[in-house]
Amino acid sequence: MRRKLVVGNWKMHGSNAATAELLSELLRLLPPLKSTDVAVCPPFVYLTAACQRLVDSPIKLGAQNVGAAEQGAFTGEIAASMLRDCGCDFAIVGHSERRHLFAESNEQVAEKAAIALRHELTPIICVGESLAEREAGKTLDVIARQLEAIFGRFNTAELNSVVIAYEPVWAIGTGRTATPAQAQEVHAFIRQRLQINNAAAVSILYGGSVKAENAKALFVQADIDGGLVGGASLNAEEFAAICRAAE
Ligand code: PEP
């Protein structure tokens, strides 16, 4: 039985004070969960403070991105080893905002996932189609191409150590969620591709306007193993309710 995982992606929001407050609230509101893991991904500069707050807590820490090189002259980049050093267990790679606003290619995303794994970070690899691609009937082709770059880069053991997040671009931050049936269709496709590559047990998260009110209907789908949550993760009550819905 796959464990559920709910990850909060705080994006470029917050401050020292807001990070402390949000985490305290979350720790207060989150009940003990038996079958669900929870992680938050604050901006890089708040990772250390967040890590200190989360010591001995069930909430894990992740980064929103990772540099594609080990170290060196890459101004503004953050290495996987540094994220590990700051207490991260996860790193999101290939978020659609990185792919579209910062032109990250499938190959760069695969490279980032590989370097994360090398440093014992679980990469949460995001895939998803744009609205135009969905409307043109190309959703599964796009997802297949994004996955191929990962399959081509990893051996079976490595592949079994990643998390995939299906995030339809048209549902991110728009308030427009994929219906449970739309999400399940793509998740089942991803599961089938993973199975062909001997990695059927990899967790597949859904992301795109997940909220307390729609979380349960998504999380009960056969191939949805939890959520990658943006906006709603900035509200402790809402995020705690989403985590409860995953149980
Ligand atoms: C995200 O940032 O990964 C995301 C899914 O955002 P939102 O929940 O706000 O749509």
Side-chain angles (χ1 to χ4, degrees):
M1 175 91 175
R2 297 182 301 272
R3 285 182 67 75
K4 291 275 200 269
L5 171 64
V6 179
V7 180
N9 173 14
W10 292 6
K11 309 197 187 194
M12 198 169 74
H13 291 291
S15 62
N16 270 314
T19 298
E21 196 182 320
L22 184 50
L23 291 178
S24 300
E25 271 299 280
L26 202 52
L27 288 169
R28 190 175 69 77
L29 293 169
L30 206 61
L33 300 172
K34 285 201 200 87
S35 56
T36 305
D37 295 318
V38 175
V40 293
C41 302
F44 287 133
V45 289
Y46 302 128
L47 285 173
T48 299
C51 182
Q52 285 160 1
R53 290 236 153 207
L54 295 176
V55 169
D56 293 333
S57 90
I59 303 177
K60 295 187 173 154
L61 198 58
Q64 299 174 19
N65 185 24
V66 60
E70 288 289 344
Q71 60 169 1
F74 300 100
T75 302
E77 290 294 282
I78 309 284
S81 59
M82 298 170 187
L83 298 175
R84 195 71 194 134
D85 199 26
C86 289
C88 288
D89 286 306
F90 296 95
I92 298 172
V93 300
H95 189 279
S96 74
E97 286 149 19
R98 302 293 322 170
R99 289 178 186 267
H100 294 114
L101 302 176
F102 300 94
E104 288 188 9
S105 66
N106 289 337
E107 291 64 36
Q108 279 170 312
V109 172
E111 189 56 37
K112 288 183 172 203
I115 208 156
L117 270 183
R118 219 175 295 146
H119 290 276
E120 297 175 9
L121 294 165
T122 299
I124 300 171
I125 304 170
C126 302
V127 298
E129 81 289 2
S130 67
L131 185 58
E133 288 163 340
R134 173 161 282 264
E135 286 176 348
K138 293 185 181 152
T139 297
L140 299 185
D141 292 342
V142 172
I143 304 293
R145 267 202 308 280
Q146 291 171 337
L147 290 175
E148 277 317 313
I150 305 298
F151 297 152
R153 185 75 176 65
F154 292 154
N155 63 33
T156 306
E158 290 166 336
L159 196 55
N160 276 284
S161 306
V162 312
V163 168
I164 305 283
Y166 168 55
E167 297 208 307
V169 179
W170 47 272
I172 297 178
T174 59
R176 194 177 156 190
T177 322
T179 64
Q182 280 174 322
Q184 169 58 25
E185 183 195 7
V186 179
H187 279 239
F189 174 76
I190 296 171
R191 178 86 57 218
Q192 180 225 343
R193 307 304 283 219
L194 287 166
Q195 200 155 18
I196 293 168
N197 287 275
N198 303 311
V202 160
S203 291
I204 311 172
L205 312 184
Y206 169 78
S209 297
V210 175
K211 296 186 180 56
E213 69 187 32
N214 60 25
K216 186 130 194 190
L218 289 159
F219 296 164
V220 294
Q221 299 299 312
D223 292 296
I224 300 186
D225 303 317
L228 179 53
V229 184
S233 71
L234 294 168
N235 178 312
E237 259 179 50
E238 185 82 9
F239 189 62
I242 293 170
C243 297
R244 281 198 301 274
E247 271 287 278

PDB file of all heavy atoms in Angstrom, residues 15-17 19-20 23 42-55 61 86:
ATOM      1  N   SER A  15       7.914  35.680   4.856  1.00  0.00           N
ATOM      2  CA  SER A  15       8.940  36.472   5.526  1.00  0.00           C
ATOM      3  C   SER A  15       9.409  35.604   6.683  1.00  0.00           C
ATOM      4  O   SER A  15       8.828  34.525   6.919  1.00  0.00           O
ATOM      5  CB  SER A  15       8.328  37.767   6.065  1.00  0.00           C
ATOM      6  OG  SER A  15       7.333  37.435   7.035  1.00  0.00           O
ATOM      7  N   ASN A  16      10.414  36.057   7.421  1.00  0.00           N
ATOM      8  CA  ASN A  16      10.828  35.283   8.597  1.00  0.00           C
ATOM      9  C   ASN A  16       9.658  35.089   9.549  1.00  0.00           C
ATOM     10  O   ASN A  16       9.379  33.980  10.006  1.00  0.00           O
ATOM     11  CB  ASN A  16      11.965  36.014   9.323  1.00  0.00           C
ATOM     12  CG  ASN A  16      13.324  35.590   8.789  1.00  0.00           C
ATOM     13  OD1 ASN A  16      13.584  34.403   8.611  1.00  0.00           O
ATOM     14  ND2 ASN A  16      14.183  36.562   8.520  1.00  0.00           N
ATOM     15  N   ALA A  17       8.968  36.211   9.804  1.00  0.00           N
ATOM     16  CA  ALA A  17       7.863  36.149  10.775  1.00  0.00           C
ATOM     17  C   ALA A  17       6.737  35.256  10.260  1.00  0.00           C
ATOM     18  O   ALA A  17       6.188  34.439  11.002  1.00  0.00           O
ATOM     19  CB  ALA A  17       7.345  37.559  11.058  1.00  0.00           C
ATOM     20  N   THR A  19       6.891  32.792   8.131  1.00  0.00           N
ATOM     21  CA  THR A  19       7.312  31.380   8.127  1.00  0.00           C
ATOM     22  C   THR A  19       7.127  30.779   9.518  1.00  0.00           C
ATOM     23  O   THR A  19       6.556  29.700   9.674  1.00  0.00           O
ATOM     24  CB  THR A  19       8.796  31.263   7.691  1.00  0.00           C
ATOM     25  OG1 THR A  19       8.899  31.769   6.367  1.00  0.00           O
ATOM     26  CG2 THR A  19       9.296  29.838   7.728  1.00  0.00           C
ATOM     27  N   ALA A  20       7.595  31.528  10.526  1.00  0.00           N
ATOM     28  CA  ALA A  20       7.485  31.032  11.906  1.00  0.00           C
ATOM     29  C   ALA A  20       6.021  30.843  12.289  1.00  0.00           C
ATOM     30  O   ALA A  20       5.637  29.817  12.864  1.00  0.00           O
ATOM     31  CB  ALA A  20       8.163  32.014  12.859  1.00  0.00           C
ATOM     32  N   LEU A  23       4.282  27.855  10.348  1.00  0.00           N
ATOM     33  CA  LEU A  23       4.708  26.534  10.838  1.00  0.00           C
ATOM     34  C   LEU A  23       4.149  26.241  12.224  1.00  0.00           C
ATOM     35  O   LEU A  23       3.723  25.118  12.507  1.00  0.00           O
ATOM     36  CB  LEU A  23       6.235  26.432  10.828  1.00  0.00           C
ATOM     37  CG  LEU A  23       6.863  26.380   9.426  1.00  0.00           C
ATOM     38  CD1 LEU A  23       8.374  26.337   9.521  1.00  0.00           C
ATOM     39  CD2 LEU A  23       6.343  25.184   8.624  1.00  0.00           C
ATOM     40  N   PRO A  42       9.346  25.976   1.717  1.00  0.00           N
ATOM     41  CA  PRO A  42       9.417  27.433   1.799  1.00  0.00           C
ATOM     42  C   PRO A  42      10.470  27.962   0.813  1.00  0.00           C
ATOM     43  O   PRO A  42      11.240  27.176   0.244  1.00  0.00           O
ATOM     44  CB  PRO A  42       9.884  27.695   3.235  1.00  0.00           C
ATOM     45  CG  PRO A  42       9.897  26.366   3.926  1.00  0.00           C
ATOM     46  CD  PRO A  42       9.985  25.323   2.854  1.00  0.00           C
ATOM     47  N   PRO A  43      10.538  29.276   0.614  1.00  0.00           N
ATOM     48  CA  PRO A  43      11.633  29.839  -0.199  1.00  0.00           C
ATOM     49  C   PRO A  43      12.992  29.456   0.411  1.00  0.00           C
ATOM     50  O   PRO A  43      13.103  29.264   1.626  1.00  0.00           O
ATOM     51  CB  PRO A  43      11.395  31.350  -0.106  1.00  0.00           C
ATOM     52  CG  PRO A  43       9.935  31.491   0.205  1.00  0.00           C
ATOM     53  CD  PRO A  43       9.592  30.310   1.069  1.00  0.00           C
ATOM     54  N   PHE A  44      14.014  29.379  -0.432  1.00  0.00           N
ATOM     55  CA  PHE A  44      15.350  28.940   0.025  1.00  0.00           C
ATOM     56  C   PHE A  44      15.800  29.632   1.309  1.00  0.00           C
ATOM     57  O   PHE A  44      16.321  29.011   2.216  1.00  0.00           O
ATOM     58  CB  PHE A  44      16.402  29.273  -1.050  1.00  0.00           C
ATOM     59  CG  PHE A  44      16.347  28.390  -2.259  1.00  0.00           C
ATOM     60  CD1 PHE A  44      16.384  28.946  -3.533  1.00  0.00           C
ATOM     61  CD2 PHE A  44      16.291  27.014  -2.156  1.00  0.00           C
ATOM     62  CE1 PHE A  44      16.362  28.152  -4.665  1.00  0.00           C
ATOM     63  CE2 PHE A  44      16.262  26.202  -3.285  1.00  0.00           C
ATOM     64  CZ  PHE A  44      16.299  26.779  -4.546  1.00  0.00           C
ATOM     65  N   VAL A  45      15.634  30.968   1.358  1.00  0.00           N
ATOM     66  CA  VAL A  45      16.224  31.738   2.470  1.00  0.00           C
ATOM     67  C   VAL A  45      15.591  31.424   3.818  1.00  0.00           C
ATOM     68  O   VAL A  45      16.161  31.764   4.853  1.00  0.00           O
ATOM     69  CB  VAL A  45      16.147  33.260   2.207  1.00  0.00           C
ATOM     70  CG1 VAL A  45      17.107  33.656   1.103  1.00  0.00           C
ATOM     71  CG2 VAL A  45      14.726  33.698   1.870  1.00  0.00           C
ATOM     72  N   TYR A  46      14.424  30.771   3.800  1.00  0.00           N
ATOM     73  CA  TYR A  46      13.769  30.443   5.072  1.00  0.00           C
ATOM     74  C   TYR A  46      13.924  28.970   5.444  1.00  0.00           C
ATOM     75  O   TYR A  46      13.353  28.513   6.430  1.00  0.00           O
ATOM     76  CB  TYR A  46      12.288  30.828   5.021  1.00  0.00           C
ATOM     77  CG  TYR A  46      12.093  32.300   4.716  1.00  0.00           C
ATOM     78  CD1 TYR A  46      11.260  32.726   3.683  1.00  0.00           C
ATOM     79  CD2 TYR A  46      12.775  33.270   5.449  1.00  0.00           C
ATOM     80  CE1 TYR A  46      11.115  34.076   3.389  1.00  0.00           C
ATOM     81  CE2 TYR A  46      12.645  34.625   5.152  1.00  0.00           C
ATOM     82  CZ  TYR A  46      11.811  35.018   4.117  1.00  0.00           C
ATOM     83  OH  TYR A  46      11.685  36.351   3.835  1.00  0.00           O
ATOM     84  N   LEU A  47      14.699  28.229   4.660  1.00  0.00           N
ATOM     85  CA  LEU A  47      14.816  26.790   4.921  1.00  0.00           C
ATOM     86  C   LEU A  47      15.455  26.497   6.280  1.00  0.00           C
ATOM     87  O   LEU A  47      14.981  25.627   7.016  1.00  0.00           O
ATOM     88  CB  LEU A  47      15.619  26.106   3.804  1.00  0.00           C
ATOM     89  CG  LEU A  47      14.888  25.910   2.468  1.00  0.00           C
ATOM     90  CD1 LEU A  47      15.849  25.391   1.403  1.00  0.00           C
ATOM     91  CD2 LEU A  47      13.697  24.959   2.632  1.00  0.00           C
ATOM     92  N   THR A  48      16.517  27.217   6.597  1.00  0.00           N
ATOM     93  CA  THR A  48      17.218  26.910   7.847  1.00  0.00           C
ATOM     94  C   THR A  48      16.322  27.196   9.047  1.00  0.00           C
ATOM     95  O   THR A  48      16.223  26.385   9.975  1.00  0.00           O
ATOM     96  CB  THR A  48      18.531  27.714   7.927  1.00  0.00           C
ATOM     97  OG1 THR A  48      19.337  27.321   6.806  1.00  0.00           O
ATOM     98  CG2 THR A  48      19.299  27.427   9.196  1.00  0.00           C
ATOM     99  N   ALA A  49      15.658  28.344   9.004  1.00  0.00           N
ATOM    100  CA  ALA A  49      14.759  28.678  10.121  1.00  0.00           C
ATOM    101  C   ALA A  49      13.628  27.659  10.199  1.00  0.00           C
ATOM    102  O   ALA A  49      13.241  27.213  11.288  1.00  0.00           O
ATOM    103  CB  ALA A  49      14.193  30.082   9.930  1.00  0.00           C
ATOM    104  N   ALA A  50      13.117  27.261   9.038  1.00  0.00           N
ATOM    105  CA  ALA A  50      12.028  26.284   9.022  1.00  0.00           C
ATOM    106  C   ALA A  50      12.512  24.961   9.596  1.00  0.00           C
ATOM    107  O   ALA A  50      11.818  24.307  10.384  1.00  0.00           O
ATOM    108  CB  ALA A  50      11.515  26.099   7.597  1.00  0.00           C
ATOM    109  N   CYS A  51      13.724  24.573   9.221  1.00  0.00           N
ATOM    110  CA  CYS A  51      14.288  23.308   9.695  1.00  0.00           C
ATOM    111  C   CYS A  51      14.373  23.320  11.227  1.00  0.00           C
ATOM    112  O   CYS A  51      14.025  22.338  11.884  1.00  0.00           O
ATOM    113  CB  CYS A  51      15.664  23.113   9.068  1.00  0.00           C
ATOM    114  SG  CYS A  51      16.415  21.578   9.548  1.00  0.00           S
ATOM    115  N   GLN A  52      14.794  24.454  11.787  1.00  0.00           N
ATOM    116  CA  GLN A  52      14.902  24.538  13.248  1.00  0.00           C
ATOM    117  C   GLN A  52      13.532  24.393  13.907  1.00  0.00           C
ATOM    118  O   GLN A  52      13.382  23.735  14.924  1.00  0.00           O
ATOM    119  CB  GLN A  52      15.572  25.857  13.641  1.00  0.00           C
ATOM    120  CG  GLN A  52      17.082  25.801  13.377  1.00  0.00           C
ATOM    121  CD  GLN A  52      17.732  27.168  13.285  1.00  0.00           C
ATOM    122  OE1 GLN A  52      17.084  28.204  13.434  1.00  0.00           O
ATOM    123  NE2 GLN A  52      19.031  27.189  13.018  1.00  0.00           N
ATOM    124  N   ARG A  53      12.536  24.996  13.300  1.00  0.00           N
ATOM    125  CA  ARG A  53      11.165  24.900  13.842  1.00  0.00           C
ATOM    126  C   ARG A  53      10.603  23.490  13.749  1.00  0.00           C
ATOM    127  O   ARG A  53       9.744  23.098  14.532  1.00  0.00           O
ATOM    128  CB  ARG A  53      10.208  25.792  13.064  1.00  0.00           C
ATOM    129  CG  ARG A  53      10.427  27.217  13.288  1.00  0.00           C
ATOM    130  CD  ARG A  53       9.162  27.897  13.781  1.00  0.00           C
ATOM    131  NE  ARG A  53       9.554  29.049  14.565  1.00  0.00           N
ATOM    132  CZ  ARG A  53       8.859  29.578  15.536  1.00  0.00           C
ATOM    133  NH1 ARG A  53       7.712  29.041  15.875  1.00  0.00           N
ATOM    134  NH2 ARG A  53       9.279  30.633  16.179  1.00  0.00           N
ATOM    135  N   LEU A  54      11.058  22.749  12.734  1.00  0.00           N
ATOM    136  CA  LEU A  54      10.442  21.447  12.458  1.00  0.00           C
ATOM    137  C   LEU A  54      11.185  20.271  13.088  1.00  0.00           C
ATOM    138  O   LEU A  54      10.795  19.123  12.905  1.00  0.00           O
ATOM    139  CB  LEU A  54      10.325  21.238  10.941  1.00  0.00           C
ATOM    140  CG  LEU A  54       9.382  22.221  10.231  1.00  0.00           C
ATOM    141  CD1 LEU A  54       9.400  22.008   8.723  1.00  0.00           C
ATOM    142  CD2 LEU A  54       7.960  22.093  10.775  1.00  0.00           C
ATOM    143  N   VAL A  55      12.265  20.592  13.859  1.00  0.00           N
ATOM    144  CA  VAL A  55      13.004  19.513  14.528  1.00  0.00           C
ATOM    145  C   VAL A  55      12.023  18.685  15.361  1.00  0.00           C
ATOM    146  O   VAL A  55      11.160  19.248  16.050  1.00  0.00           O
ATOM    147  CB  VAL A  55      14.102  20.109  15.446  1.00  0.00           C
ATOM    148  CG1 VAL A  55      14.691  19.030  16.347  1.00  0.00           C
ATOM    149  CG2 VAL A  55      15.198  20.744  14.612  1.00  0.00           C
ATOM    150  N   LEU A  61      10.835  18.780   5.181  1.00  0.00           N
ATOM    151  CA  LEU A  61      11.171  20.020   4.490  1.00  0.00           C
ATOM    152  C   LEU A  61      11.612  19.726   3.059  1.00  0.00           C
ATOM    153  O   LEU A  61      12.304  18.741   2.791  1.00  0.00           O
ATOM    154  CB  LEU A  61      12.322  20.658   5.269  1.00  0.00           C
ATOM    155  CG  LEU A  61      12.628  22.130   5.047  1.00  0.00           C
ATOM    156  CD1 LEU A  61      11.423  23.007   5.358  1.00  0.00           C
ATOM    157  CD2 LEU A  61      13.813  22.536   5.917  1.00  0.00           C
ATOM    158  N   CYS A  86      20.829  21.934   4.753  1.00  0.00           N
ATOM    159  CA  CYS A  86      19.823  22.766   5.440  1.00  0.00           C
ATOM    160  C   CYS A  86      18.634  21.941   5.917  1.00  0.00           C
ATOM    161  O   CYS A  86      17.637  22.501   6.363  1.00  0.00           O
ATOM    162  CB  CYS A  86      19.309  23.867   4.511  1.00  0.00           C
ATOM    163  SG  CYS A  86      20.535  25.129   4.198  1.00  0.00           S
TER     164      CYS A  86
END
